[in-house]
Amino acid sequence: MRALDFTIVFLSVVAICVGDDHQDEVECAAQVKCADCIKTPSCVWCPATGLKETEKIQNRCIPRKFHEKRMQDGRDWCFGHQVIDEVSSITVQKNESLSSKKGVEPVQVQPQEIHLRLRKQDGFRLKLRYTQAEDYPVDMYYLMDLSRSMYQYREHLSELGEELATTMRNLTSKFKLGFGSFVDKVALPMTDTSPARIERPCSDCAPPYGYKHQMPLSDDDKLFTRKVKAAPISGNLDAPEGGFDALMQAMVCPERIGWSEKARHLLVFCTDASSHMAGDGRLAGIIEPNDCECHLDSSGTYSHSLLQDYPSLAQIRKQARERNIHIIFAVPATKNTTYQLLSESIQDSAVGIIEKDDRSAVIDLIRDEYKKLVTSVTLIDTAPDFIDIKYSSSCLSGSAKKETDSCDGLHYSDVVEFDIVVTVTECPTDKSLLKGSFFIRPQGLNENLKIHYELICGCPCDEPGAPGHVPMAKECNYNGTLICGVCACREGFYDDVCACTGDDAAIKQNSIEKCRAPNDTSICNGRGACRCGKCTCSPGPLPNQQYSGPFCECSNFSCKRVTEGGRHRICNEHGECVCGTCKCDIGWSGTACECRDKACLPPGKNTEICSGRGKCKCGKCFCDPPSIYSGEFCQNAYCEDPKACSGSDCDILKDCVECVAYKTGPKAQENCGGCDDEIYLVDKVVTSREEHAAGTRMCWVPSEDGCTFAFKYALLREGGDQKLYNITVESTKKCPEPVPVLGVAIGVVVATVLLGLLGLLLWKVLTTLHDRKEYAKFEKERSSAKWGRDENPLYKPSTTTFSNPTFEQTSRQD
Ligand SMILES: *[C@@H]1O[C@H](CO)[C@@H](O)[C@H](O)[C@H]1NC(C)=O
Ligand SMILES: *[C@@H]1O[C@H](CO)[C@@H](O)[C@H](O)[C@H]1NC(C)=O
Ligand SMILES: *[C@@H]1O[C@H](CO)[C@@H](O)[C@H](O)[C@H]1NC(C)=O
Ligand SMILES: *[C@@H]1O[C@H](CO)[C@@H](O)[C@H](O)[C@H]1NC(C)=O
Ligand SMILES: *[C@@H]1O[C@H](CO)[C@@H](O)[C@H](O)[C@H]1NC(C)=O
Ligand SMILES: *[C@@H]1O[C@H](CO)[C@@H](O)[C@H](O)[C@H]1NC(C)=O
Ligand SMILES: *[C@@H]1O[C@H](CO)[C@@H](O)[C@H](O)[C@H]1NC(C)=O
C-alpha cells in the first residue's frame, strides 16, 4: 500500500515537473502485462514474438501518441506486428427522433439504445436529448393508511376523488386512478390479536388486515370515490404502520395494479404515522426477509403478510427505480422530518404535507408534485459501481454547460441536451461483470437510454487458447506461458524468459535490485536485461560495440581515439577499450595508446629502453638527468669523449686517488700520506654540463697494474700553494680482460693429446701401407716357386689312420 502511495506521489510529482508526454510514458512503461497496459488509458501494447536478440523491445507498452509518431517516422518499433490498442467506441442500436406532439407515439429520450465498448479511465462522451411530450399518460395509485386516526383523511379523499381526477385531467387527458389500503401485520405486537379485538379493534372498525388492493388503475373517477368511501377503517396496536408491505406489493404487482408501460407512475403513500421496516417483523416472530415478489391473492389481499418481514429501504429504492415509480409521501407536518429522511434515500420520491383540516391539501399536493415532475427533468441511472457517469447541460439557458443532472422550468416540446461522460473507474475482477447493461432515464418516466456495455479490461491474447497465448512456450524456456509477447513463468521460475529459478517474490525483487546501480533508477543503466540478478548487456548502437560492466555502465567504444587520415581509431587499434579506458598492448602507451614504446629502444642486441638512462614517455626518451645524458636513446653521456673534458691536474692527483680508492699505486707504501683531498667512491663517474662549467674535470688514467680508472675532480679551495680537491672515483678500475689460465692449460693438454693421437694414426697408416706392399711382393715370389702348396717336402701329417672292415658291418646292424 505504501509503495503504491509512493508511486502515486512519485508519478504526480513527475507530472508536475515535466510534461504530460513524459507522464504518459512513465505510466505506460510501468505496465509489463498487456492487460495492465490496456487498463492504462492511451497506452498501446506491442505483442511481437520471436524477436532476434538485437530486436529486444525495451518497453512494449507506450503511449499511443508515441506509437503514431514512430509509425509516421517509418520506425516500425513492433517489427511488423499489429499493436494492441483499442479506444472506447459506440454502436448505436436505436436512435429514433424525439417526438412530443399530441396524438403521436411520444419519444422523449434520444438515443434509446446503444452499445459501448469502454476502456478504463477513457471517458466516453455522448449526448442525450430529452423533451417533455404533451399529454403523456399518468397513472396514480393512492395507497392509504386506514388505521383509525386516518378517518378524517379518508373522508377528504372520498369527497375530493372526482375533483382530483378533474384537476389532473386538466393537465393530462390520460389520467388513471387506483386505490389500495393498509393497516399492519395482524400479529402481536403490531395488532391486538385477542379474538374480540380481531373482530372489532375499535368502535365502527373492521377487522385489521395487512394490505388490500382495492381498485386497479382506471379512469373511472366515480368508482374511485366509491371505493375510498367503502374502504373500512380498522385499528391496530403500535404506532408505526405496516405501509411498506403495501408499498412493495403495489410496486411489484404491475399486472394487478394495472400500471401501464408508457406512463408516469405516481404512487401516493398517505399515512400519519411512521412505518415498520425490515427487522421489525422479528418482533412478531417473522424472520423470513421480504422477497420483493408479488403475493396478492385473488381478492387482492397480501397473502404473505405473516410469512415475510417488512421490506427494507434499499429494496424499496431498488424497486422504485427499476419499475420507474415516483413515490409521494403525503404525511402531516409532524411526520415531515421522518419521511424527509426516508425520501432522501429513495431517489424517485418526494414528501408532501397534508393536514386533517385542510380539505384540498391532497389535490394541491399531487398537482404540484406532478407539475414539478413534468417541468423538470432529472437524469438517473442504474450504472454499476465501477462505471462513473457525469452529466452536464446548459438546460434551456444556452449558456455554457455546467455539471448537473437536472433542468427546471421546462415546457412541452422544449428540448434539453445533456452531455454524458461514461467512465470506467475500475476493472472488476469478476469476469461476469465485464459485460452488462444499465440505463439512464429521466426521473419519473419509463423511457430510457439503455446502455449495453463491454469493458476492455484485457487483451485478446490473454485468453487461453487464443493466438498469442502459448503455454510452456519455447520463448519462455518451456517454463512459462507466452502471453501477448511476454512470459508468465510458472511457479519457481522468473525473469522475462523464465530462465531463472527462485520461489520467493523477495528473491525476484532482490534480483532486480541487484541489476540497479546504487543511486540509479534504471535497471542495467537501460543498456541490458537483468537476468537472474545479473545484467546481460546489449550490444552498442553500431556493430562491434558492446556494453559491459556489472550494471552495463561500461562500453568498449567510449575510449579515446586517435584520428589519422579521417579515421578514428579507438585506442589507436593498439589496445583494448575496457570501460572507457585504453589497456594498451605491450610496447604501446598513452591514454589512447598513441605512443609507441619500442621507439625508445636503441637498436642492437640486449639494449635497454632509453639505454637505462631515462624514462620512455610516449615513444620519446626523457633522459635522467638531462644535463648528463642526451641523444635519442640517452645513449650519449656528457664528457664521454675523454679529450673534451679531461683536466690538467689528472697526473698530480692520480697517485693519491689510486691509493685512497684502491690501496695500490706508488703511495700505498706511505699509507697515502699527504693525500688530503676529499675522495668519494661511486659506481660510475659522470659529469654534467653544469659541473663542467663549474670547473669539474674528468680523468682517465692508467694504474700501476695496467688497468685504468676514472675520476673527476673539482677544486674545493685554494690556500697558498696548497690546493684541495673534491674527487669522485669509480669504485672499480677498468682492467683488460684477464687471460683464462685454466682454459689455456686445458687447451694445451687437449692439443698435445690430439697431436699424439694424430701421430700414432699416421704411423699406423704408413706401416699398414708398407706391409701390404711387402705381402704383395711375397705372394708374387711364392707363385713363381717350384713346388705346389700341398706338397711341401718338409711336411709330415701328424695323424695315422687304421681300418677294420668287419667293424663297419656290425656297427651297421646295431
Ligand atoms: C441520433 O441521430 C441524430 C440525428 O437524428 C444524430 O444527430 C445523433 O448524433 C444520433 N445519436 C447518436 C448517438 O448517434
Ligand atoms: C384547467 O386549466 C386551466 C388553465 O390551465 C384553468 O384555467 C382551469 O381552471 C383549470 N381547471 C381545473 C378544474 O383545474
Ligand atoms: C419539511 O422538512 C423539510 C426538510 O427537513 C423542510 O425543507 C420543509 O420546509 C418542511 N416542510 C414543512 C411543511 O415543515
Ligand atoms: C524448465 O527449466 C529447467 C531449467 O532451466 C529445464 O531443465 C526444464 O527442462 C524446463 N522445463 C520444461 C518443462 O522444459
Ligand atoms: C547516492 O546519493 C547520495 C545522496 O545524493 C550520496 O550521498 C551517495 O554518495 C550516493 N551513492 C553513490 C554510490 O553514488
Ligand atoms: C567490443 O566488444 C565486442 C564484443 O566483445 C567485440 O566484438 C568488438 O570488437 C569490441 N569493439 C572494440 C572497438 O573493441
Ligand atoms: C664533492 O663531490 C660530491 C660528488 O660530486 C658531492 O656530493 C659533494 O657534495 C662534494 N663535496 C663538497 C664539499 O663540495
Side-chain angles (χ1 to χ4, degrees):
M1 206 52 211
R2 202 174 250 187
L4 189 68
D5 287 351
F6 174 76
T7 315
I8 290 166
V9 169
F10 172 72
L11 288 179
S12 35
V13 168
V14 167
I16 291 162
C17 296
V18 292
D20 272 355
D21 276 4
H22 188 70
Q23 187 203 356
D24 284 354
E25 192 185 3
V26 169
E27 261 182 64
C28 294
Q31 313 307 326
V32 294
K33 281 190 199 157
C34 186
D36 293 338
C37 185
I38 289 303
K39 281 180 201 164
T40 314
S42 76
C43 297
V44 304
W45 178 266
C46 170
T49 55
L51 299 182
K52 295 190 208 95
E53 193 63 30
T54 49
E55 295 175 334
K56 278 269 142 49
I57 303 174
Q58 203 86 54
N59 289 330
R60 285 174 180 273
C61 186
I62 65 167
R64 187 180 298 123
K65 254 185 287 179
F66 285 25
H67 165 63
E68 282 162 1
K69 176 106 193 355
R70 286 183 191 182
M71 295 312 272
Q72 258 172 27
D73 296 350
R75 282 175 56 210
D76 185 7
W77 70 288
C78 196
F79 301 101
H81 294 250
Q82 189 77 39
V83 298
I84 295 177
D85 180 20
E86 229 177 310
V87 287
S88 299
S89 64
I90 183 172
T91 319
V92 180
Q93 292 172 330
K94 202 168 171 208
N95 185 18
E96 281 172 20
S97 297
L98 295 176
S99 83
S100 58
K101 285 276 167 295
K102 214 170 184 167
V104 207
E105 179 78 0
V107 179
Q108 302 176 83
V109 175
Q110 186 191 18
Q112 294 81 33
E113 196 167 353
I114 58 171
H115 183 272
L116 292 181
R117 277 177 66 76
L118 294 170
R119 233 178 111 162
K120 191 183 161 190
Q121 297 297 2
D122 187 12
F124 189 82
R125 291 172 178 281
L126 64 119
K127 285 193 192 311
L128 181 141
R129 280 147 48 90
Y130 165 79
T131 190
Q132 166 67 47
E134 203 174 343
D135 221 15
Y136 196 68
V138 175
D139 288 354
M140 194 195 85
Y141 190 73
Y142 206 99
L143 193 55
M144 192 164 202
D145 173 5
L146 283 188
S147 56
R148 204 175 141 66
S149 55
M150 289 294 286
Y151 179 76
Q152 197 72 47
Y153 296 100
R154 189 197 65 170
E155 290 308 296
H156 291 327
L157 188 62
S158 61
E159 284 163 28
L160 296 174
E162 279 169 57
E163 198 181 331
L164 174 64
T166 330
T167 311
M168 291 304 288
R169 293 245 162 70
N170 204 8
L171 300 169
T172 171
S173 59
K174 297 166 191 161
F175 181 69
K176 283 196 209 163
L177 265 170
F179 177 62
S181 62
F182 62 86
V183 182
D184 207 340
K185 289 189 193 293
V186 186
L188 276 170
M190 292 88 184
T191 308
D192 192 340
T193 49
S194 61
R197 283 291 183 181
I198 286 272
E199 195 64 34
R200 235 177 115 84
C202 46
S203 58
D204 302 332
C205 281
Y209 54 94
Y211 160 59
K212 190 155 167 39
H213 170 46
Q214 310 268 11
M215 177 195 160
L217 290 163
S218 132
D219 45 14
D220 187 346
D221 327 331
K222 293 205 172 63
L223 180 65
F224 178 77
T225 312
R226 275 207 307 281
K227 284 280 180 188
V228 172
K229 216 171 237 162
I233 290 288
S234 184
N236 66 335
L237 212 53
D238 63 350
E241 312 295 2
F244 280 7
D245 264 348
L247 191 60
M248 176 58 75
Q249 292 303 308
M251 288 193 291
V252 298
C253 302
E255 286 86 17
R256 302 294 300 275
I257 305 294
W259 296 114
S260 9
E261 189 69 31
K262 288 223 157 187
R264 281 185 191 277
H265 304 148
L266 303 184
L267 202 162
V268 183
F269 183 86
C270 180
T271 183
D272 64 346
S274 50
S275 298
H276 281 299
M277 274 190 275
D280 290 355
R282 282 160 190 265
L283 299 174
I286 302 166
I287 50 167
E288 195 180 324
N290 200 288
D291 62 1
C292 303
E293 297 284 336
C294 184
H295 297 292
L296 291 186
D297 64 14
S298 54
S299 67
T301 308
Y302 177 38
S303 57
H304 281 48
S305 180
L306 296 180
L307 299 178
Q308 288 185 357
D309 197 359
Y310 301 101
S312 70
L313 207 54
Q315 286 173 320
I316 291 171
R317 178 175 56 215
K318 182 162 180 277
Q319 295 301 327
R321 176 184 278 208
E322 281 181 3
R323 295 170 187 272
N324 183 29
I325 289 169
H326 187 75
I327 301 168
I328 302 169
F329 294 105
V331 294
T334 48
K335 292 292 167 203
N336 183 16
T337 332
T338 315
Y339 282 94
Q340 284 289 350
L341 281 174
L342 285 177
S343 173
E344 270 166 30
S345 41
I346 302 173
Q347 218 174 359
D348 248 348
S349 72
V351 180
I353 308 297
I354 51 168
E355 289 303 343
K356 251 184 206 162
D357 39 9
D358 183 357
R359 270 172 37 107
S360 60
V362 173
I363 295 178
D364 293 345
L365 165 65
I366 294 170
R367 188 191 52 217
D368 293 349
E369 201 53 47
Y370 175 77
K371 276 192 174 162
K372 218 189 282 172
L373 265 181
V374 297
T375 58
S376 71
V377 57
T378 303
L379 293 184
I380 57 174
D381 60 70
T382 55
D385 297 343
F386 47 86
I387 296 183
D388 176 60
I389 300 196
K390 287 214 158 43
Y391 305 94
S392 57
S393 178
S394 55
C395 292
L396 294 173
S397 71
S399 57
K401 296 202 166 161
K402 60 180 197 306
E403 201 164 298
T404 178
D405 58 357
S406 59
C407 291
D408 298 321
L410 307 182
H411 296 96
Y412 295 125
S413 28
D414 284 341
V415 175
V416 285
E417 193 173 83
F418 285 93
D419 277 352
I420 300 177
V421 182
V422 184
T423 312
V424 177
T425 51
E426 205 57 59
C427 277
T429 40
D430 182 354
K431 282 225 164 101
S432 66
L433 297 176
L434 292 176
K435 269 186 189 175
S437 62
F438 63 92
F439 53 77
I440 296 177
R441 66 170 169 80
Q443 190 173 325
L445 266 190
N446 75 340
E447 281 189 39
N448 58 35
L449 162 60
K450 183 151 194 168
I451 300 179
H452 304 276
Y453 65 86
E454 194 178 324
L455 307 189
I456 307 169
C457 281
C459 303
C461 36
D462 282 336
E463 297 303 320
H469 191 284
V470 189
M472 297 301 144
K474 177 168 162 281
E475 286 89 341
C476 305
N477 283 304
Y478 306 105
N479 274 313
T481 306
L482 187 68
I483 302 173
C484 303
V486 293
C487 292
C489 305
R490 71 193 178 98
E491 208 174 312
F493 292 85
Y494 67 96
D495 214 310
D496 58 344
V497 293
C498 309
C500 309
T501 48
D503 271 325
D504 208 347
I507 298 175
K508 280 190 215 178
Q509 185 54 28
N510 208 2
S511 76
I512 288 274
E513 283 312 312
K514 279 189 201 148
C515 291
R516 210 191 294 273
N519 283 4
D520 196 351
T521 51
S522 63
I523 287 169
C524 300
N525 273 292
R527 296 160 164 184
C530 184
R531 189 132 306 158
C532 318
K534 280 201 185 108
C535 288
T536 309
C537 305
S538 21
L542 294 175
N544 262 359
Q545 299 191 335
Q546 179 67 44
Y547 290 112
S548 60
F551 307 111
C552 303
E553 74 279 21
C554 298
S555 74
N556 75 353
F557 53 93
S558 58
C559 289
K560 284 207 173 159
R561 288 144 202 260
V562 173
T563 307
E564 212 176 73
R567 249 164 56 78
H568 306 281
R569 298 188 310 226
I570 294 174
C571 297
N572 199 21
E573 285 171 9
H574 284 297
E576 198 187 344
C577 179
V578 179
C579 202
T581 319
C582 290
K583 280 245 164 70
C584 301
D585 297 342
I586 292 172
W588 295 87
S589 63
T591 51
C593 303
E594 72 280 18
C595 309
R596 200 186 162 143
D597 289 344
K598 263 194 180 157
C600 295
L601 206 59
K605 275 185 197 164
N606 298 332
T607 51
E608 272 183 89
I609 281 186
C610 297
S611 312
R613 294 162 167 186
K615 289 220 165 63
C616 182
K617 278 190 191 148
C618 201
K620 269 183 89 176
C621 285
F622 288 85
C623 305
D624 186 31
S627 55
I628 300 175
Y629 303 111
S630 62
E632 196 185 345
F633 307 109
C634 305
Q635 72 275 38
N636 305 321
Y638 190 70
C639 286
E640 228 165 21
D641 180 7
K643 276 160 239 144
C645 314
S646 57
S648 51
D649 293 344
C650 293
D651 281 342
I652 307 168
L653 297 171
K654 73 166 196 195
D655 288 348
C656 268
V657 170
E658 189 179 359
C659 176
V660 172
Y662 312 115
K663 311 275 182 281
T664 56
K667 295 221 173 190
Q669 269 94 34
E670 306 158 32
N671 263 340
C672 312
C675 296
D676 298 328
D677 305 313
E678 286 187 21
I679 296 175
Y680 301 92
L681 270 81
V682 295
D683 282 348
K684 183 144 179 67
V685 170
V686 286
T687 184
S688 63
R689 183 163 298 147
E690 289 81 23
E691 278 182 338
H692 188 249
T696 302
R697 291 291 179 269
M698 296 286 289
C699 302
W700 288 268
V701 292
S703 67
E704 211 182 26
D705 48 7
C707 302
T708 45
F709 60 97
F711 63 94
K712 64 177 178 181
Y713 65 89
L715 192 60
L716 264 185
R717 58 178 173 272
E718 205 171 2
D721 57 345
Q722 185 76 350
K723 283 183 179 171
L724 205 61
Y725 292 94
N726 180 4
I727 299 168
T728 310
V729 198
E730 238 162 58
S731 49
T732 46
K733 298 185 251 189
K734 269 206 189 72
C735 296
E737 285 291 305
V739 180
V741 179
L742 191 66
V744 170
I746 289 171
V748 166
V749 169
V750 169
T752 312
V753 169
L754 282 178
L755 273 177
L757 283 175
L758 198 67
L760 282 174
L761 196 68
L762 199 66
W763 174 79
K764 178 73 183 159
V765 167
L766 287 176
T767 47
T768 309
L769 284 176
H770 182 257
D771 283 358
R772 286 246 174 94
K773 216 169 165 183
E774 287 293 303
Y775 182 68
K777 203 161 121 196
F778 160 74
E779 284 282 297
K780 203 173 158 194
E781 277 171 10
R782 197 186 59 175
S783 60
S784 58
K786 289 185 266 330
W787 60 80
R789 194 196 314 195
D790 305 330
E791 298 162 14
N792 187 346
L794 303 179
Y795 179 72
K796 248 189 189 165
S798 56
T799 52
T800 321
T801 307
F802 301 91
S803 53
N804 180 357
T806 57
F807 171 73
E808 204 170 325
Q809 272 184 354
T810 51
S811 73
R812 283 225 183 118
Q813 276 167 356
D814 278 343

